[in-house]
Each structure stands twice: as structure tokens, then as C-alpha cells.
Amino acid sequence: MAKILLVLYPDSVTGYPPQYARDSIPVLDGYPDGQTLPSPSAIDFTPGALLGAVSGELGLRRFLEAAGHELAVTSDKDGPNSVFERELVSADIVISQPFWPAYLTAERIAKAPKLKLAITAGIGSDHVDLDAAISHGITVVEETYSNSISVAEHAVMQVLALVRNYLPSHEWVVNGGWNIADSVERAYDLEGMNVGVIAAGRIGRAVLRRLAPFDVRLHYTDKNRLSPEIERELGLTFHPDAASLVRAVDVVSIHAPLHPETYHLFDDALISSMKRGSYIVNTARAEITDRDTIVRALESGQLAGYAGDVWYPQPPAADHPWRTMPHNGMTPHVSGSTLSAQARYAAGTREILEDWFADRPIREEYLIVNGGQLAGVGAASYTAGGESSPGSGGK
């Protein structure tokens, strides 16, 4: 029998379960690249329920306890006196989401002698120290593609919100005003702009496809160039690196994984090379940008807007400057945790657990580290920039 430690974000302040806005969610046939949806033997939840919060438990309790396993669920994940820190010592399996990551550092892994499996419910496992996982023989998995499209939709929404100056315009209405001039003095059409994507993995490609109908000029950079057919279909201009891309575009959407090459990629030098009045949307990882550089660029006008849903750390402190910097469209890390996405990554988590307990191979596209070795399609996210998220993530 195993002990499973599940770290999820807190319930809604109004209580659980919430009053749902809709009675159902759309049923998908598969993912855009043909990958099949998660296929557990059964699920113990209603698709569209709030599963990612503590009381939702990813719909796992009945399944796990019926098999004799122990499930511990908490949102208290930070600091040496947290529930996560105390329970980790005896845990066999840890599950968390990129939106409320349980940071599995080398120090924490060293204190968890029984830990053999770390599951990311969603995509984006950089909260796990992969080197430490490899050295301790831990398997690291995530549900590839489960919330990629969710993140892509969020990124497109934030691009439009910034360029059209949507949030300040909405605030005038909420506050009783009708200030048209104040609303439109920073509003532009996206049509005709140059829009660039950093990393064209699953999320980046989905963003490009969704922006193409807006009659924009699309650019991208990635370690692996897309096929000539896709470039022709979407009218893409390839750039060998981020430095070349950002000089050519008006809007940048970041979808790269966080690794040494992308850490603080968007620093003073890179942002100063962009057109004055450019926009950045970052639904990948916060530390791809330099926090204080973003603030200065918005205050000086070098950037016209910055949006995204990734912060460092997560959750950020109440006085984090991104909460109050001008012209921001920041959200909590929610892009990949829609109720639609939760149904997929909860089902994927159960599929992984069923395979693990039955000693069956976990599907290759989920694997990041397999028993101490980098493995599978999923590992490309961290070795070649293939997935990104997100968040994404969601990553």
C-alpha cells in the first residue's frame, strides 16, 4: 500500500462546491496531434467539477482508498513547518499542479526516502529538481497536452486585452464612467501587427494557429524549426534566436520552458532592443523575464503592456511589484486550470496511478524521468524546448 501526498490550491472563498456557470463541458475526441485523451478504467468525478482545489481532490479519494492506499491532501506547501514538508517524509507519491506547485527541491527529495513517483497534474514540471530526481531514482511524469490548448487560449486573450486596452476600459464602466477618450487613447487594432512566439511547441503552435485569422504577420523562434508546410500554411517568418525576433515584432508571446538558456532571457538588454511600445505576454514561466526589468520597462514606456499568469514564487507576496505595475494584465496562474482542463488532467492522473500500481508502463509521452533516466517524448520539454507551459505550467 502507498501513501499519496496531493498538493492542491485552496478552495474558493465562498465555499465548496461552487455554483457552476454551466451544466457540462464539451466532449473532445482527441488532441490536435492525434494523441489520445487520458484513458483510466473509470473516473469518480463529474467532468466540469472543480477538481483542482483541496476539496476536489482530483476525484481520487474513492479510487485510492478502495485499493487500501492512504491519501493526504493539503494546500499548505511552503516552509519547513508546512503540512507538505511534514507529510513528504513518509510519502511514496507526490502529486501537485503547476498553478500551486509543491517545490520538490534537492533538499526535500533527500528527506523523502520512500518517494518514487512525482506527478504533475497538468504540464510543466520545473518545480521538480530533475537532477535530484534522477539521482534518487524517482519517476517524474506529467499529462502532456492535457491543458496546452487552455494555455494557448489564455495567451491569445491576453494579447487582445493588452492591445485593445480592454481592462482599463472595463474599469471605467464598473466605476460608473463612460470615458471613451480615456479608454481608447491606448487602444490599437491587432490587425497588421507583427506577432512573435518564443518556442513553437504544442502551446506556441496553437497560439500561432489562433492568431493567424487576425491578419497579423507571424514570427517564431525555436530550437527545432517547423516544417516548410506549416511555415507556408501560417505565413511564418523563422528567426534563429529571440534577439532577432523581438526586434521585428510588436507583440511577443512566450512559451519556452525554463532552463539555464531562458532564465532571465528578457533582461534590460533584450527589452531595450524591442520597438518602443511593444507588448509581452508570458504564460510560460515568470523567471524567463527579469522581474524588475519588466516594471522599469512599463514605467518608462518601452513596453506598452505586460500580461501573463506565471509568477515567482507562486503564490507571490502581497507586495510583489507585478500586482501594481502600470499597464499590466496579470492573472493568477489559471490559464491551464479551467474546469475543462481539470477533467482531462484529473483523468490523466488516475491513468498514471492505475498503471503505476499495476506495474504497467506509463505512456511514453507522459514521462520526463523514468526511474532515474531522462525518458520519453515528455523529456523533450526540458531538453529541447518542445512543450513549454505551462503552465503552463500549464504549462
Side-chain angles (χ1 to χ4, degrees):
M1 298 304 126
K3 176 178 178 178
I4 296 91
L5 178 53
L6 179 58
V7 182
L8 301 174
Y9 44 74
D11 290 346
S12 308
V13 296
T14 53
Y16 189 95
Q19 177 96 28
Y20 294 107
R22 295 176 56 84
D23 297 327
S24 63
I25 59 173
V27 177
L28 303 183
D29 297 323
Y31 294 124
D33 69 347
Q35 179 181 315
T36 58
L37 293 164
S39 54
S41 63
I43 56 172
D44 296 318
F45 60 81
T46 300
L50 178 58
L51 304 170
V54 166
S55 293
E57 298 178 326
L58 291 186
L60 293 174
R61 184 171 294 279
R62 185 183 305 174
F63 157 65
L64 291 171
E65 291 186 346
H69 303 297
E70 177 187 355
L71 177 64
V73 185
T74 185
S75 62
D76 182 18
K77 67 185 182 68
D78 295 318
N81 298 317
S82 64
V83 172
F84 173 66
E85 191 96 8
R86 295 197 305 269
E87 298 284 353
L88 180 63
V89 176
S90 56
D92 300 281
I93 299 170
V94 168
I95 306 169
S96 75
Q97 302 166 105
F99 334 106
W100 194 261
Y103 292 102
L104 276 173
T105 62
E107 293 76 18
R108 280 177 160 171
I109 288 174
K111 298 175 184 176
K114 297 178 64 180
L115 185 61
K116 291 300 177 187
L117 177 65
I119 302 175
T120 298
I123 55 174
S125 297
D126 54 291
H127 56 279
V128 180
D129 187 315
L130 297 185
D131 290 334
I134 289 169
S135 66
H136 286 78
I138 297 169
T139 294
V140 181
V141 294
E142 61 181 46
E143 283 97 48
T144 304
Y145 232 147
S146 61
N147 54 1
S148 297
I149 302 304
S150 311
V151 176
E153 289 184 0
H154 195 92
V156 172
M157 173 189 73
Q158 290 190 314
V159 167
L160 287 166
L162 289 181
V163 173
R164 297 303 299 259
N165 203 38
Y166 169 76
L167 292 172
S169 302
H170 176 64
E171 285 183 13
W172 281 118
V173 173
V174 171
N175 293 328
W178 193 256
N179 299 50
I180 294 176
D182 297 279
S183 299
V184 302
E185 66 183 13
R186 295 182 63 87
Y188 299 87
D189 291 343
L190 185 61
E191 181 184 22
M193 284 191 174
N194 287 275
V195 181
V197 163
I198 305 289
R202 294 179 183 89
I203 299 171
R205 289 197 304 273
V207 169
L208 290 167
R209 289 192 178 280
R210 282 154 179 76
L211 286 174
F214 285 89
D215 291 327
V216 295
R217 300 179 183 90
L218 292 172
H219 305 246
Y220 80 100
T221 185
D222 195 284
K223 288 190 174 184
N224 300 305
R225 187 165 182 173
L226 298 174
S227 69
E229 292 76 18
I230 292 177
E231 289 189 350
R232 285 195 297 271
E233 176 192 355
L234 299 177
L236 304 179
T237 298
F238 173 73
H239 294 263
D241 52 38
S244 168
L245 180 141
V246 301
R247 292 194 298 268
V249 301
D250 306 286
V251 182
V252 174
S253 191
I254 302 173
H255 302 286
L258 179 64
H259 53 69
E261 290 180 29
T262 60
Y263 177 77
H264 284 187
L265 173 64
F266 281 78
D267 57 11
D268 281 303
L270 189 66
I271 290 178
S272 66
S273 73
M274 300 173 71
K275 299 178 185 178
R276 190 188 77 84
S278 295
Y279 305 88
I280 296 176
V281 170
N282 182 7
T283 53
R285 286 296 179 265
E287 289 195 300
I288 295 174
T289 66
D290 178 79
R291 185 193 74 173
D292 295 335
T293 294
I294 296 298
V295 176
R296 288 192 297 269
L298 288 169
E299 290 174 344
S300 71
Q302 177 63 15
L303 289 179
Y306 182 91
D309 72 330
V310 287
W311 307 66
Y312 185 81
Q314 294 191 156
D319 62 352
H320 194 292
W322 284 6
R323 293 182 183 269
T324 55
M325 63 188 178
H327 315 306
N328 88 78
M330 296 299 297
T331 57
H333 196 168
V334 296
S335 64
S337 194
T338 61
L339 297 180
S340 305
Q342 288 176 42
R344 294 188 292 271
Y345 66 68
T349 299
R350 174 156 173 173
E351 176 191 325
I352 290 166
L353 289 169
E354 288 181 352
D355 289 341
W356 179 265
F357 293 137
D359 200 25
R360 295 190 299 261
I362 294 170
R363 64 163 89 183
E364 184 181 7
E365 53 262 281
Y366 289 172
L367 288 165
I368 306 300
V369 177
N370 187 11
Q373 299 289 326
L374 276 174
V377 176
S381 308
Y382 303 94
T383 58
E387 171 67 80
S388 90
S389 170
S392 290
K395 135 274 300 355

